Amino acid sequence: MKLDRWFHRANWLWALVFLLLTGRSLAATIEVVAINTGNQKTVASALFRAYQDKNPGVQINLTSLSDSEFKEQLPKWLASSSTKYHLVFWQGGNRLFRFVNQGQVAPISKAIPEGEIAAAFTPGSLGAVTLDDQIYAVPTSYYQWGIYYRKSIFRNAGLTPPSNWQEFIEVGQALSRQGITPIALGNSGKWPASAWFDYLNLRINGLEFHKALLQGEHSFNDPKVTQVFAHWKELVDNGFFIKHQDVVDWNDALPFIYHSHAAMVLIGNFVTGELSPAMIDDFAFIPFPTISSQVPSFEDAPLDVVMIPSNASVSKELKDFVKYLSSASFQSEYNRELGLISPHVDATLPNNEFIQSGARLLAEAEGVAQFFDRDTKAAFVGPALDVFAEFLKTGDANAAQNRLEQLRQQHLSSTL
């Protein structure tokens, strides 16, 4: 009997020693879910393991799903009475606010004082996570859109990169006179053209009108939209876009610039990963030209965020982890490895001309749009892109506006 008691006590003692040595069985578990894009899973997993090593009482589990599976499951996780996920990597702007308006996302103050987030991130990124004066997510990454051009083409043509619309038109006309098409637009996928609509609307009418328009709150026959198409038509009528752009993909349009058949492209900074290594040093970035001096600087900058579902339990360990995710150290390393820009004001930037130019641009922006397809409803996107593609062929602005207004009434709002 004494021997049985001795073995029983010994087993408990060995179990205690094991727990003390490993720390894992008593660890608080934090479940994180994200879309599997690029090398994000590899980068995030490495950083999460490093965090665990410094915090042995915490276990971070990262689930990475395909884009389609994630988007199919996300509404179900958020609508359920409880979810296994404590943190969700998602997208800012309208795609975040859709769930906020349904009461399915917790204010970030549930985990970290809102003032800490407000002081640590750029105004543009904060605007994409703030609704009714409450912050609902931690900004993690974004990237700039703008004009990428070949320096040698401009130098040989005796041209200076344009900063406003008049200069942009003059530069385009000068390039055309030398047999160089100004803009390499590859629009077979149809979404690249929407960047032109975004930027013209942002530069002419500002961010609030742009967002409201894409939510169906204004008519596409509004005179403000007429101005957008008038500026766009000026480019179409003057032959500023390469021919047959409807059968050329965005990355297949780059050789037009390599061979000096075109000079510029409006695209996101992901283009730098596609540029020929032999040519990349001959490329430079400039912001989309100013059109109205009365309109502040607004940019397209799709923002990734991390949010807390309302149905998730918030432990001390989760609060500490959210604080880590919002730190300059995490944001610097995470974005450096992904080739993106941290919206954290104290993040360290890599020695990369395009990243640094983009970071300066976005830090100074009054606000950021999320890109056309993120800022409106999914049912509206495809038909609207067809309208833009047809407009690039015909230059018929009136037909484009009328068709977009029909689509607004069908997919966005039937009344104003």
Side-chain angles (χ1 to χ4, degrees):
M1 198 68 179
K2 289 182 179 179
L3 190 61
D4 287 343
R5 284 198 299 270
W6 183 88
F7 275 115
H8 182 72
R9 293 170 67 183
N11 287 338
W12 273 106
L13 187 60
W14 279 112
L16 179 60
V17 170
F18 176 79
L19 291 174
L20 291 173
L21 288 175
T22 64
R24 291 296 183 231
S25 295
L26 293 178
T29 301
I30 297 174
E31 299 287 346
V32 183
V33 64
I35 298 174
N36 188 9
T37 55
N39 63 335
Q40 191 225 25
K41 181 179 180 180
T42 302
V43 173
S45 294
L47 291 170
F48 293 175
R49 283 194 300 269
Y51 181 85
Q52 286 178 169
D53 291 342
K54 294 179 181 178
N55 299 271
V58 179
Q59 175 75 38
I60 312 294
N61 294 330
L62 173 61
T63 300
S64 190
L65 302 175
S66 69
D67 183 87
S68 58
E69 184 179 4
F70 181 98
K71 289 176 178 175
E72 179 184 350
Q73 294 297 323
L74 179 60
K76 299 175 184 176
W77 300 328
L78 298 180
S80 65
S81 58
S82 63
T83 178
K84 67 174 286 189
Y85 297 114
H86 303 95
L87 293 173
V88 178
F89 278 79
W90 185 225
Q91 298 160 352
N94 182 60
R95 291 192 176 178
L96 168 66
F97 300 147
R98 166 193 169 190
F99 297 114
V100 170
N101 285 329
Q102 295 175 32
Q104 296 171 344
V105 180
I108 204 63
S109 58
K110 193 172 180 180
I112 187 171
E114 189 172 283
E116 292 186 19
I117 299 296
F121 291 89
T122 61
S125 67
L126 288 171
V129 297
T130 304
L131 187 66
D132 297 331
D133 297 322
Q134 277 199 304
I135 299 174
Y136 284 92
V138 175
T140 57
S141 308
Y142 54 9
Y143 60 89
Q144 82 272 20
W145 277 70
I147 304 291
Y148 293 77
Y149 70 97
R150 264 191 73 189
K151 293 182 283 188
S152 61
I153 293 178
F154 273 64
R155 183 171 60 251
N156 294 337
L159 297 172
T160 301
S163 61
N164 59 53
W165 189 251
Q166 181 178 345
E167 292 174 357
F168 186 71
I169 296 298
E170 291 171 354
V171 163
Q173 291 171 338
L175 288 166
S176 295
R177 287 194 295 269
Q178 298 189 35
I180 302 170
T181 304
I183 301 159
L185 171 62
N187 197 48
S188 65
K190 296 186 179 178
W191 58 266
S194 62
W196 286 94
F197 180 85
D198 275 4
Y199 263 107
L200 289 168
N201 200 25
L202 289 169
R203 290 292 187 264
I204 294 169
N205 298 313
L207 181 60
E208 291 308 312
F209 179 85
H210 180 69
K211 292 194 297 184
L213 177 69
L214 295 187
Q215 288 300 301
E217 297 173 21
H218 299 287
S219 168
F220 276 88
N221 283 320
D222 189 298
K224 291 183 176 181
V225 182
T226 301
Q227 290 186 55
V228 170
F229 276 96
H231 281 75
W232 203 355
K233 181 176 173 58
E234 187 176 9
L235 304 183
V236 174
D237 290 349
N238 281 282
F240 271 36
F241 300 108
I242 60 172
K243 295 179 180 179
H244 310 300
Q245 35 76 21
D246 57 322
V247 296
V248 178
D249 201 4
W250 70 268
N251 49 349
D252 292 329
L254 297 177
F256 284 80
I257 303 178
Y258 299 159
H259 297 290
S260 299
H261 299 314
M264 300 177 282
V265 60
L266 172 61
I267 199 71
N269 196 55
F270 52 82
V271 73
T272 59
E274 297 289 328
L275 294 176
S276 165
M279 308 274 308
I280 193 168
D281 289 341
D282 194 29
F283 277 79
F285 169 83
I286 55 171
F288 193 91
T290 300
I291 296 178
S292 170
S293 60
Q294 304 302 311
V295 178
S297 172
F298 300 114
E299 307 295 333
D300 258 343
L303 177 73
D304 291 338
V305 305
V306 61
M307 64 184 185
I308 303 172
S310 295
N311 54 10
S313 58
V314 180
S315 62
K316 178 186 181 301
E317 290 80 8
L318 180 62
K319 292 179 180 180
D320 291 341
F321 188 57
V322 171
K323 189 167 187 175
Y324 166 67
L325 296 178
S326 64
S327 68
S329 60
F330 168 80
Q331 297 252 336
S332 298
E333 191 167 356
Y334 179 72
N335 286 289
R336 180 174 61 249
E337 294 299 322
L338 294 179
L340 298 172
I341 298 170
S342 168
H344 198 292
V345 296
D346 293 325
T348 302
L349 297 173
N351 185 25
N352 179 296
E353 175 187 348
F354 298 106
I355 294 289
Q356 293 189 359
S357 295
R360 287 192 296 270
L361 175 72
L362 299 182
E364 295 170 0
E366 292 285 332
V368 296
Q370 296 304 296
F371 201 73
F372 186 85
D373 64 333
R374 291 193 183 190
D375 283 327
T376 191
K377 295 181 180 179
F380 179 73
V381 174
L385 296 185
D386 289 338
V387 174
F388 296 154
E390 184 66 17
F391 170 73
L392 287 167
K393 292 179 183 179
T394 66
D396 190 338
N398 187 58
Q401 285 184 253
N402 287 337
R403 178 58 181 146
L404 287 170
E405 176 57 16
Q406 291 174 355
L407 293 171
R408 182 194 72 82
Q409 294 181 26
Q410 180 180 352
H411 298 296
L412 300 181
S413 175
S414 60
T415 59
L416 289 174

